[in-house]
Amino acid sequence: LTASLYFWFFKLGIDRLDSGIAAAISGVMPVVAFIGTLLFLRDEPVNRAKIGGLVLGVIGVVLLAQPWVQGEGARNLWGVLAVLLASCCLGGSFVYARKFVVPLGLPVVALATYQFGLATLTMLPVTDFGAILATLDRPGILAGVIIGNGVLGSGVAVLLYYVLVQEWGA
């Protein structure tokens, strides 16, 4: 949910939408996490502020998606749906991790390793190896992608993700 489908759906969405709009629509992630928490995690607190945030979040996403606009200037429906699916994957993953993964008591580094290992396997069929191989003759770019995006970006983000889910909940 957080390292395969999320990225794939988000990539499909930003191919069809302006990146700013896609990023703003992805703000539905906490809404999905909150709804999942209400449905599946009875021990997490719910208050008026969270419900107010849920309502404002839904209104904001609808305003950004602009489903009432037709023809020229309309948002690409498939792009909006792809970003919403990506957001559901990530928002739902917080609930899933809290309910099923955190109770296992596995070290955070192990969880991140398993997650990226499985993501590597599941993304192989849709990976553009031509683009990856094109970076081999430019070591600076390859190092930047691996270290900057892989380790410092996604790697640290996933470690923090599991720490936050363990400490604060979904």
Side-chain angles (χ1 to χ4, degrees), residues 43-54:
D43 61 331
E44 300 225 3
V46 176
N47 56 39
R48 288 184 185 171
K50 289 181 180 181
I51 292 174
L54 170 71

Side-chain angles (χ1 to χ4, degrees), residues 1-25:
L1 291 176
T2 59
S4 292
L5 288 178
Y6 164 72
F7 285 113
W8 189 67
F9 283 133
F10 202 71
K11 188 255 186 247
L12 292 176
I14 60 173
D15 282 349
R16 293 163 175 81
L17 298 171
D18 291 335
S19 60
I21 294 299
I25 292 173

Side-chain angles (χ1 to χ4, degrees), residues 9 29 41 103 119 125 144 165:
F9 283 133
M29 281 182 247
L41 301 174
V165 170

Side-chain angles (χ1 to χ4, degrees), residues 135-146:
T135 63
L136 293 179
D137 63 340
R138 311 226 12 224
I141 292 175
L142 184 59
V145 169
I146 292 170

